[in-house]
Amino acid sequence: MKGFDQIYAEYYDAVYGYCLRLTRDPHLAEEVCQEAFFKALKAIDSFHGECKLSVWLCQIAKNTWFTLQKKRRRTQAPPPDEAWPDPADLEERFEDKDTALRIHQALHQLPDPYREVFWLRAFGELSFAQIAALFEKTESWARVTYHRARLKLKEELE
């Protein structure tokens, strides 16, 4: 296996770009990317080549981002009273939350690779070419898989 310095130099731009798409903040993307590489360094012995190294690093980055988001939600102070919504708007907001919950539940039920491809395209904002590269497949495969995932989600929600 390559030295970790070489891995860092070779994959940093791809992982940072992925983190930037997730966070939409260059400083936060840098933080998530650095933490992901630190975790990868600690766990490099557990990488046995089941998937492409770039996919493994992006998975670590994604999990790092999710963990950071969870910590932020737990430590944020509740909004002041004047920030609470108008009671007339509550019903509409609950409908949106219910819809979002149904979508997330349906997405969770999708089998791999549909779930991962849909997530990378819809939330990670990756191009089909980037998704294809992550899975070591063709761009056509990424497009078809995403399309099928959308159909399965639509079918599940109806």
Side-chain angles (χ1 to χ4, degrees):
M1 173 162 279
K2 305 172 191 174
F4 199 80
D5 291 342
Q6 187 179 356
I7 291 171
Y8 182 84
E10 187 173 332
Y11 293 102
Y12 176 81
D13 288 338
V15 175
Y16 174 76
Y18 179 71
C19 292
L20 188 57
R21 284 184 211 86
L22 286 175
T23 64
R24 295 186 174 107
D25 177 348
H27 300 293
L28 189 54
E30 177 71 27
E31 180 183 332
V32 171
C33 186
Q34 291 299 324
E35 181 67 21
F37 273 104
F38 177 71
K39 288 178 179 180
L41 176 62
K42 290 190 326 187
I44 195 70
D45 293 335
S46 68
F47 179 73
H48 300 294
E50 305 87 24
C51 62
K52 197 172 175 185
L53 185 57
S54 61
V55 172
W56 185 68
L57 292 168
C58 285
Q59 287 289 343
I60 293 172
K62 180 179 75 169
N63 293 336
T64 301
W65 169 241
F66 285 153
T67 302
L68 181 64
Q69 289 296 92
K70 286 179 188 176
K71 285 180 185 176
R72 284 185 170 183
R73 275 188 241 122
R74 282 193 302 246
T75 59
Q76 285 178 340
D81 287 341
E82 62 271 3
W84 290 101
D86 181 14
D89 295 336
L90 283 179
E91 185 175 320
E92 182 179 311
R93 289 179 186 240
F94 281 128
E95 286 177 11
D96 290 341
K97 286 183 181 181
D98 288 341
T99 303
L101 178 62
R102 285 184 51 230
I103 291 169
H104 284 291
Q105 287 172 334
L107 182 57
H108 183 71
Q109 297 300 320
L110 282 179
D112 280 330
Y114 300 111
R115 176 180 45 232
E116 188 70 15
V117 169
F118 185 87
W119 191 92
L120 290 170
R121 180 70 179 164
F123 302 115
E125 296 180 356
L126 287 162
S127 69
F128 289 116
Q130 291 168 319
I131 293 169
L134 282 172
F135 283 91
E136 296 179 329
K137 303 281 187 178
T138 65
E139 192 172 334
S140 298
W141 175 88
R143 289 179 188 279
V144 168
T145 305
Y146 175 74
H147 177 71
R148 288 179 182 165
R150 285 186 58 206
L151 290 176
K152 287 178 182 285
L153 277 174
K154 187 176 180 181
E155 184 179 288
E156 184 69 31
L157 293 172
E158 290 177 347

